[in-house]
Amino acid sequence: MGFLYISFGLYLLGIVLSIRKELSYWTSFAAAISSLVAGILALTKEFSSPQFPIMPGLSIGIGLDKTSGVFLVVASLSFIMLALYSVDFGKLFSGKMAAWFNLSLFGMTLVISARDSVDFLIGWEVMTIGLFLQILERRDSHEEAFQFLAFGEVSAMALIVGFASLFLTNGSFSMSNGVTSTPFFLVMVTIGFIIKMDIFPFHTWITGAYSKAPSNAAALLSAPLTLMGVYGIVRVISVAGYSVWWGVGILAFGSVSAFWGAMQAAAERSLKKLPAYSTVENNGIILTAIGLSAMAGAAGSKEMAILSRFAFLAGLFVAFSHTLAKSLLFMSVGHAKESLHEEEIDNVRGIWSNVGGIPAAGILTSGLSFSAFPPTIGFVGEWMILEALFQSYKFKGDAERLIAAFAGILIALAIGLAAFSMIKLIGYTVLGPNHGMKAHQFPSSRMKAAQVSLVLLLIVGGVFSPYIIGSLGYSNFLGGILVVPYPLLILSSNPIFGVVSPTMFFVVVGFLFIIPYLLYHTSERKSRKVQAWNGGLALTEDEYFTVPAYSFILEYVLRKLYLTREVRTGYTAEVTSKDAAEYIYDYLNRFVRRLSLFTSKIIMNGKISLYILYILIVFIIAFLV
Amino acid sequence: MTKRLTERKMYSTIIQTQSKSKIFRNSLHIYAIDVGNSNDLNFDIRALQAPQYNIHRFGIFFADVPRHADVLLILGSPTKKMVPVLNETINQMPEPFYIVVIENVENHMCENNHDAVDIESIGLPNIAARLTRYRGPEELIAVLLKLKGEWS
């Protein structure tokens, strides 16, 4: 099991080699491959390094068990592709970027392989700081970077408090099984993790940070970073076990967050903010699945244990599909954005013809995966979560049934709205007409290789998802009926509740699609293409059906939620909508400013007499006590 | 009745259209485009739809866009700026279609306007009739009825 050590060593070497950008990224590529091998090996055999005792109750060591192996494999796949992508993409940015890239990958690998809370927190902080420095890469991104850091540090503080309480109860920093947990620990650690997962209402930093960060850093922020949050939650379950109140809380946070993220993504007009809100939505779905799993697991009966396992599997699948698809989406969007130097979806129409087919295929495939289009891996995950929520009638208590049903409504709405926003992204950027934009070409063969690999991975992962389920150890959810042979059918419960077979879907639809497609292409078409009728004049740029127009109907119908307003400036008017969660932070911001003003003017205003009075009061209190 | 018959005789001898098809027998849709006339033709076109001429009784209608039209009615001699618009309009016409050109001889605007382009130099397709000496809406109705295939 030297692969994990090799991986850590290579990441550190990559930081040193950051003078040569390309070499540094190749080093991180090699390190990620090494960690992938380590993860695959950990699936069959657990591994742990020798423990180095530092103080009583604290001995530092790393190791991988099956859970961390699974997460390491997925994270490493994302790391490999991102490192390969960055070999070309990194040339557009400074050499420091390569060092911070390696640093954050080092931190994330350490988080996954940590066996005790001290290692875990070190990895957590390294990862946060590495990403913070990457967001700082652009000159005008200080505000966004510090917003990210503020939320990251709140998360870290919650984790520190939580782990400290765990140390007080157990007398050790170990995170493995057999540790007794307290509700306080559970609450604090959960808050710490869900802040990292961009869950509503802790998501307001994402729009700024994702759009200002270079795209490879944005992909790291969105995909593997939130995966670390999921990993943390999964670890917490393994320490604390299932409890109903925790499950209900997680379910509520998750479903509201999924709906909120999808709703904001549907109204978003910026190329990188739309994927950012999609991250909120997907992490909400993952959290809902884990919450449902906890609620069902706490019920105790055998039937509910099956539902619990299935919901957990759904959460894992959505997490994996999100990690891969969101890495791909940010890669392709970044490729287009750096080629065209544009921020808005409206201005990057026609990526297919002016930037290239591969970034377009990347946006198309990942967008289809997010809108649950079979047979992509995203379809399997979202089918699973809906099937799990359909089974909420199995709960004994009415309150649990009602809560799970409402979560189901929100998740269904979220999936629908996600499809709406992804159709917007795909339709305008990939399939939209090219308006004569000239793309700035730069060497991008490695970027294209990374994108093609992820496109294939998303489709192949979806088609062979029954085998993935089998290899994760959930083979009781596999079956075969009628013409579908044994492991190709995914069952949502045992006895059968619902079934789907992405493999058979691929085979059947492949035939049904390919033959008509070939016929369509061989036959001669008599249609004539003309532009839209505009009184005989050519259409100008503002006469097309724009992105704001596409989502305006939604913004108007849900105007209470979107806070839709018409803003008039001179003779023009514009419709804007705002994320209501930002008002909380605006209020906090104003409150803190006022408080500091009050403190500096009245309490600590530099008058010596006032300070002497404070000293006297302290003396009096000290004497009395 | 007598007047109608004499007029019919008069117009059917004068007008030469190239219509051979009978697909417009039941209905005919016209799109009129003003490419530079002195506005009197526009009044005539309005009168065609009004009770005075009431061309709807023949199954002839005006379309709002060239995509719905069978006949493109070009009013006047095109000015330079209207040539690309005219070409785009013809590009939008569905097949089969006819073009009827009414050139206003007494067009003072065109006489003074050196922008006017000779209609032959544009090379318009499918010209069914070119009315150089326009006599009034009756003549246009006669042309349209010929295009419909009602008059042989």
Side-chain angles (χ1 to χ4, degrees):
Chain A
M1 285 300 289
F3 287 106
L4 199 57
Y5 299 128
I6 295 173
S7 157
F8 282 124
L10 284 173
Y11 283 134
L12 293 176
L13 186 67
I15 297 170
V16 177
L17 286 176
S18 63
I19 312 149
R20 299 279 308 277
K21 284 184 262 182
E22 201 168 323
L23 199 62
S24 174
Y25 285 122
W26 278 122
T27 322
S28 59
F29 177 69
I33 287 183
S34 171
S35 68
L36 176 70
V37 175
I40 290 171
L41 290 177
L43 290 179
T44 50
K45 197 176 142 217
E46 286 201 8
F47 149 78
S48 67
S49 73
Q51 301 282 317
F52 299 104
I54 291 179
M55 54 179 257
L58 172 61
S59 55
I60 283 183
I62 53 173
L64 292 172
D65 60 2
K66 195 174 168 188
T67 317
S68 31
V70 170
F71 278 89
L72 189 59
V73 167
V74 178
S76 301
L77 282 174
S78 168
F79 293 164
I80 291 170
M81 300 312 172
L82 279 171
L84 189 61
Y85 177 84
S86 304
V87 174
D88 282 335
F89 192 76
K91 285 176 190 159
L92 305 173
F93 299 96
S94 72
K96 280 183 290 179
M97 185 71 193
W100 310 141
F101 183 81
N102 273 295
L103 188 69
S104 49
L105 295 199
F106 178 87
M108 290 188 203
T109 317
L110 187 60
V111 164
I112 292 183
S113 56
R115 293 292 80 190
D116 54 85
S117 40
V118 173
D119 271 354
F120 191 90
L121 286 172
I122 292 171
W124 199 260
E125 279 299 296
V126 166
M127 156 180 108
T128 307
I129 290 164
L131 283 164
F132 163 70
L133 292 168
Q134 286 184 65
I135 304 172
L136 271 182
E137 174 66 23
R138 288 194 208 272
R139 274 185 204 143
D140 55 343
S141 63
H142 276 73
E143 193 188 336
E144 286 78 12
F146 279 99
Q147 275 179 2
F148 165 73
L149 195 65
F151 278 95
E153 291 311 315
V154 169
S155 151
M157 274 191 285
L159 289 184
I160 289 170
V161 171
F163 285 127
S165 81
L166 195 68
F167 179 71
L168 283 179
T169 29
N170 290 294
S172 109
F173 282 107
S174 167
M175 284 207 312
S176 45
N177 302 348
V179 178
T180 52
S181 81
T182 57
F184 179 74
F185 160 74
L186 204 53
V187 169
M188 289 316 284
V189 175
T190 308
I191 289 173
F193 289 133
I194 66 174
I195 290 175
K196 264 290 182 281
M197 283 171 74
D198 312 342
I199 292 299
F200 175 86
F202 308 112
H203 67 281
T204 48
W205 61 273
I206 58 162
T207 49
Y210 284 32
S211 57
K212 282 288 166 63
S215 284
N216 49 356
L220 275 181
L221 279 172
S222 168
L225 181 70
T226 57
L227 188 73
M228 294 305 125
V230 179
Y231 173 72
I233 296 267
V234 170
R235 273 281 151 214
V236 166
I237 292 178
S238 74
V239 170
Y242 291 128
S243 48
V244 175
W245 63 270
W246 185 78
V248 169
I250 287 290
L251 188 81
F253 264 114
S255 50
V256 170
S257 177
F259 174 69
W260 194 263
M263 193 189 88
Q264 295 294 340
E268 197 49 71
R269 291 112 198 236
S270 162
L271 193 55
K272 278 167 94 176
K273 289 180 184 173
L274 195 152
Y277 274 120
S278 165
T279 306
V280 177
E281 179 236 333
N282 275 278
N283 281 295
I285 293 178
I286 297 164
L287 212 55
T288 309
I290 295 175
L292 189 72
S293 167
M295 281 167 71
S301 69
K302 198 185 164 204
E303 192 187 25
M304 299 311 279
I306 292 172
L307 176 58
S308 169
R309 274 172 67 79
F310 185 73
F312 189 75
L313 181 65
L316 281 185
F317 244 82
V318 178
F320 301 162
S321 68
H322 171 248
T323 306
L324 299 178
K326 197 49 72 62
S327 304
L328 175 61
L329 188 56
F330 271 109
M331 282 181 192
S332 301
V333 160
H335 193 159
K337 187 176 171 246
E338 294 304 326
S339 306
L340 297 168
H341 301 293
E342 286 289 350
E343 296 269 350
E344 299 291 313
I345 297 176
D346 244 347
N347 300 336
V348 295
R349 283 173 287 197
I351 286 180
W352 191 277
S353 53
N354 56 21
V355 181
I358 288 171
I363 294 177
L364 184 71
T365 319
S366 54
L368 287 179
S369 179
F370 284 125
S371 40
F373 187 83
T376 54
I377 192 164
F379 159 72
V380 182
E382 297 195 359
W383 174 80
M384 280 180 168
I385 175 72
L386 284 179
E387 281 285 323
L389 284 163
F390 280 145
Q391 296 178 53
S392 58
Y393 71 88
K394 289 179 179 171
F395 282 112
K396 290 287 176 289
D398 284 341
E400 286 168 326
R401 280 187 194 176
L402 206 63
I403 289 165
F406 269 106
I409 293 168
L410 287 176
I411 293 292
L413 278 172
I415 293 175
L417 284 171
F420 180 86
S421 56
M422 285 302 156
I423 287 166
K424 172 162 80 174
L425 184 66
I426 297 170
Y428 278 93
T429 59
V430 178
L431 308 174
N434 181 3
H435 289 190
M437 292 276 294
K438 278 274 176 287
H440 156 68
Q441 297 291 345
F442 49 90
S444 57
S445 56
R446 270 69 62 101
M447 285 163 75
K448 285 175 183 164
Q451 291 173 52
V452 168
S453 326
L454 273 177
V455 165
L456 292 178
L457 212 56
L458 279 179
I459 295 170
V460 170
V463 172
F464 293 102
S465 49
Y467 294 99
I468 299 175
I469 292 172
S471 66
L472 288 174
Y474 289 88
S475 49
N476 55 335
F477 293 119
L478 297 177
I481 306 177
L482 302 175
V483 289
V484 186
Y486 165 65
L488 297 183
L489 198 69
I490 306 173
L491 316 173
S492 64
S493 182
N494 214 352
I496 290 176
F497 178 76
V499 291
V500 76
S501 176
T503 323
M504 287 309 281
F505 180 89
F506 182 72
V507 172
V508 173
V509 173
F511 279 109
L512 288 182
F513 179 72
I514 287 166
I515 294 167
Y517 186 77
L518 288 177
L519 282 176
Y520 175 74
H521 258 268
T522 45
S523 66
E524 214 172 280
R525 275 162 288 157
K526 281 184 180 170
S527 57
R528 182 158 48 105
K529 276 195 179 171
V530 289
Q531 66 160 17
W533 173 245
N534 189 29
L537 302 171
L539 286 172
T540 55
E541 274 297 312
D542 55 348
E543 283 169 341
Y544 281 85
F545 190 61
T546 55
V547 169
Y550 176 85
S551 52
F552 176 72
I553 177 71
L554 202 63
E555 283 175 68
Y556 184 73
V557 171
L558 300 176
R559 58 191 178 279
K560 291 269 166 59
L561 287 175
Y562 279 117
L563 308 172
T564 310
R565 279 207 188 83
E566 193 184 42
V567 181
R568 286 180 181 278
T569 43
Y571 289 106
T572 58
E574 183 182 23
V575 173
T576 59
S577 55
K578 196 177 176 186
D579 191 341
E582 281 175 21
Y583 282 111
I584 304 170
Y585 297 99
D586 286 353
Y587 177 77
L588 268 180
N589 204 348
R590 281 206 301 278
F591 175 73
V592 170
R593 277 177 197 216
R594 270 190 208 161
L595 193 70
S596 63
L597 202 69
F598 174 78
T599 315
S600 63
K601 277 201 172 166
I602 294 172
I603 299 176
M604 298 176 74
N605 50 7
K607 281 183 187 162
I608 196 80
S609 53
L610 207 59
Y611 289 155
I612 292 172
L613 183 69
Y614 293 154
I615 295 167
L616 279 175
I617 289 170
V618 169
F619 265 118
I620 291 164
I621 291 170
F623 275 121
L624 287 176
V625 176
Chain B
M1 192 66 162
T2 345
K3 189 185 171 220
R4 220 179 121 191
L5 282 174
T6 47
E7 275 185 5
R8 174 175 170 163
K9 199 178 174 188
M10 182 176 111
Y11 289 125
S12 57
T13 47
I14 298 169
I15 293 158
Q16 302 282 315
T17 61
Q18 297 161 0
S19 168
K20 290 185 183 69
S21 145
K22 290 197 173 179
I23 60 165
F24 300 130
R25 199 175 181 89
N26 290 323
S27 75
L28 185 75
H29 284 78
I30 311 168
Y31 182 77
I33 180 168
D34 174 3
V35 289
N37 79 86
S38 61
N39 221 17
D40 50 353
L41 286 177
N42 295 26
F43 285 115
D44 278 7
I45 298 302
R46 296 297 299 170
L48 284 179
Q49 301 177 72
Q52 286 100 320
Y53 292 99
N54 189 19
I55 56 162
H56 300 140
R57 73 199 143 121
F58 299 121
I60 301 173
F61 305 95
F62 278 84
D64 290 332
V65 278
R67 290 185 180 190
H68 299 165
D70 306 312
V71 171
L72 180 65
L73 193 58
I74 300 176
L75 309 178
S77 305
T79 57
K80 260 181 200 167
K81 279 203 169 181
M82 281 305 278
V83 171
V85 177
L86 183 59
N87 282 331
E88 173 58 24
T89 311
I90 292 167
N91 188 30
Q92 299 261 352
M93 296 284 289
E95 302 264 357
F97 68 92
Y98 293 114
I99 291 180
V100 174
V101 187
I102 307 176
E103 278 171 289
N104 207 350
V105 184
E106 293 154 17
N107 188 347
H108 303 294
M109 199 175 94
C110 275
E111 279 170 13
N112 302 333
N113 188 353
H114 300 291
D115 272 355
V117 177
D118 185 19
I119 203 124
E120 298 227 326
S121 67
I122 311 170
L124 298 178
N126 300 358
I127 295 185
R130 199 177 156 198
L131 310 181
T132 41
R133 300 181 66 193
Y134 177 63
R135 290 177 188 80
E138 297 89 353
E139 191 179 3
L140 186 57
I141 293 177
V143 171
L144 294 173
L145 287 176
K146 273 211 159 188
L147 287 179
K148 270 193 87 188
E150 289 194 0
W151 287 5
S152 53

